[in-house]
Amino acid sequence: MELKKLSLFIALGLAMPTAMAATEANAEIDQLKSRVAQLESSVEVNSWIERFRVNGFASLAVGMAKDGAGYAGYNDDELNFSQDSLFAIQSTYQINSKMDATLQLISRGRDDWDLKTEWAFVSYEFDNGAQARAGKLRLPLFMLSDYLEVGYAYPFARPSAEVYSVSPVSSYTGVELLHTFDFDNSSLSVQPIWGEMSVLAEDSSFGEKSEFSDLYGLAATYEWERVTLRGSYFSSTSDKDNIDFLANKDVDFYGFGFRYDANEFMLMSEYTIIEVDDEYPDTDSFYAALSYPIGSVTPYIMYSVVESQDDDDRVMPMGLRSALDVERTTYSVGARWDFIAGAALKFDVSYSDDFNGSSAALEGNIGELAGLPGVPVVVDNFDEALVYTVKLDVMF
């Protein structure tokens, strides 16, 4: 009996240290698991943050007109801080190795700083480098369309109003494909699109919202060393317009662009044609601009014209002339000063004339006569316009 008790004590004595060691090991394992989980969580958070890219741009401008013609939105001799001022932020999230989601929000001074969505799309990159996008996208009408409101990206205070203001639309909802074909020392980029677009009431010269369906077209850009050539064609139909004579009209846009950028100087030019059924004006527009950097200062000059081609389709009684008849020539001279990285200060003086009795698409020349409510006619108040602008463009 005594021998059995002794054996039991010996067995217990040997077993207790083993059990205690196992318990301590389990605790250490639990602690390690907890630390691994914390590290994994930290890595996931970092990866989630790293997938975000955020940048933005802003323009702070002040301008003043010598008169009330309304060129570029400046319609009196008071300082105007809102017309060309804006603030934008753009974020891109990498969903996976093939897909991104992009959102660009813009707040413009002339819209009382209301926040609007300019871009909202998802993109997918194919194995051959082509990229498909779907959502709300920039309408690629012009050479500067991709960065139309990023003033820091070009030397001028503003793109030619005669060319870039003929279309009140800058974005559309739909799909597009981007693909670049590389050659020995040149490349060709093509951008077909398909979708629909709308003109907001505040952007319409008639103060009414318009909608356009069956939007389709193609932009092609050929780059060879210092030369860039661009051509574009787009077509659409106005199908829900609140203005009777604008409803159910086919609209065609043709654009041609040229740029020679030798770093020492840049020559840039565009010619556009808009053709619309019936009374709405068919318009030709053109500009040529030359800039030449001298140190941190880049002076520039720009010559622009716009003219409606079908004034005979809008003949009015009693010698009146439709406000849709447009003819205008503008001369701009200015300079860009890159005084610090990421910021440029610009000065611009623009003078317009050669209206030839048309409205020149200036609000100071447009009115309504008694007995003809809702029919805009030329009131012939101004035969020239002059606007001064100082603008700060930044990127961040």
Side-chain angles (χ1 to χ4, degrees), residues 294-358:
I294 305 172
S296 60
V297 178
T298 305
Y300 66 82
I301 55 174
M302 182 184 295
Y303 169 79
S304 305
V305 294
V306 58
E307 183 176 358
S308 53
Q309 302 296 313
D310 55 349
D311 296 351
D312 291 342
D313 292 344
R314 294 179 295 277
V315 175
M316 303 187 69
M318 300 182 291
L320 298 175
R321 192 165 181 187
S322 170
L324 298 179
D325 295 351
V326 176
E327 190 170 345
R328 188 176 77 214
T329 301
T330 297
Y331 310 87
S332 298
V333 59
R336 167 187 176 135
W337 177 30
D338 290 275
F339 65 100
I340 193 171
L345 189 62
K346 300 175 180 177
F347 308 88
D348 181 275
V349 178
S350 293
Y351 171 76
S352 300
D353 65 356
D354 291 338
F355 300 168
N356 288 331
S358 74

Side-chain angles (χ1 to χ4, degrees), residues 42-53 93-94:
S42 176
V43 170
E44 288 177 358
V45 170
N46 289 337
S47 176
W48 183 80
I49 293 175
E50 288 171 356
R51 290 183 178 187
F52 257 119
R53 298 195 307 272
Y93 182 73
Q94 183 182 14

Side-chain angles (χ1 to χ4, degrees), residues 55-367:
N55 50 32
F57 54 91
S59 295
L60 303 171
V62 57
M64 183 179 70
K66 182 184 177 182
D67 44 55
Y71 179 80
Y74 293 95
N75 52 19
D76 57 43
D77 58 359
E78 300 292 330
L79 292 177
N80 184 330
F81 289 85
S82 300
Q83 179 60 30
D84 284 324
S85 297
L86 60 85
F87 189 94
I89 191 165
Q90 178 175 313
S91 64
T92 300
Y93 182 73
Q94 183 182 14
I95 301 171
N96 52 49
S97 62
K98 294 289 186 181
M99 300 183 71
D100 291 335
T102 299
L103 177 66
Q104 185 185 90
L105 302 175
I106 292 185
S107 177
R108 299 180 180 88
R110 62 176 177 268
D111 295 333
D112 296 326
W113 297 103
D114 292 341
L115 196 61
K116 293 184 178 179
T117 301
E118 196 68 22
W119 285 1
F121 64 84
V122 173
S123 63
Y124 179 86
E125 184 172 346
F126 297 92
D127 292 338
N128 63 356
Q131 189 179 71
R133 295 175 175 176
K136 187 173 184 181
L137 301 151
R138 180 73 72 182
L139 185 60
L141 296 175
F142 310 106
M143 293 189 76
L144 299 177
S145 286
D146 284 347
Y147 41 92
L148 179 61
E149 293 180 294
V150 188
Y152 184 79
Y154 44 82
F156 327 114
R158 66 178 69 85
S160 166
E162 284 64 33
V163 171
Y164 281 74
S165 296
V166 294
S167 171
V169 183
S170 61
S171 60
Y172 75 100
T173 301
V175 296
E176 68 181 22
L177 181 68
L178 297 164
H179 189 48
T180 299
F181 301 92
D182 293 318
F183 307 107
D184 288 341
N185 57 354
S186 63
S187 64
L188 174 66
S189 300
V190 295
Q191 186 176 5
I193 73 164
W194 179 41
E196 60 189 25
M197 60 184 181
S198 61
V199 179
L200 300 177
E202 57 266 32
D203 295 328
S204 169
S205 57
F206 298 96
E208 298 283 353
K209 182 179 179 180
S210 304
E211 295 186 7
F212 296 82
S213 62
D214 298 329
L215 170 66
Y216 63 90
L218 171 73
T221 302
Y222 179 71
E223 296 181 275
W224 174 62
E225 296 183 347
R226 297 174 177 179
V227 176
T228 300
L229 301 174
R230 190 177 190 277
S232 60
Y233 168 74
F234 299 98
S235 180
S236 186
T237 302
S238 61
D239 58 352
K240 294 180 181 178
D241 204 296
N242 295 325
I243 306 170
D244 290 341
F245 79 92
L246 288 180
N248 302 315
K249 306 300 184 202
D250 292 332
V251 182
D252 294 301
F253 175 92
Y254 305 85
F256 309 93
F258 168 82
R259 180 171 59 215
Y260 180 81
D261 191 347
N263 294 325
E264 295 86 3
F265 72 93
M266 183 183 74
L267 174 63
M268 186 171 176
S269 180
E270 288 184 84
Y271 187 92
T272 61
I273 301 170
I274 293 181
E275 296 180 347
V276 188
D277 289 344
D278 301 331
E279 296 91 343
Y280 199 80
D282 298 343
T283 306
D284 289 5
S285 304
F286 167 80
Y287 80 86
L290 177 67
S291 64
Y292 188 91
I294 305 172
S296 60
V297 178
T298 305
Y300 66 82
I301 55 174
M302 182 184 295
Y303 169 79
S304 305
V305 294
V306 58
E307 183 176 358
S308 53
Q309 302 296 313
D310 55 349
D311 296 351
D312 291 342
D313 292 344
R314 294 179 295 277
V315 175
M316 303 187 69
M318 300 182 291
L320 298 175
R321 192 165 181 187
S322 170
L324 298 179
D325 295 351
V326 176
E327 190 170 345
R328 188 176 77 214
T329 301
T330 297
Y331 310 87
S332 298
V333 59
R336 167 187 176 135
W337 177 30
D338 290 275
F339 65 100
I340 193 171
L345 189 62
K346 300 175 180 177
F347 308 88
D348 181 275
V349 178
S350 293
Y351 171 76
S352 300
D353 65 356
D354 291 338
F355 300 168
N356 288 331
S358 74
S359 71
L362 301 179
E363 61 182 57
N365 278 340
I366 300 174

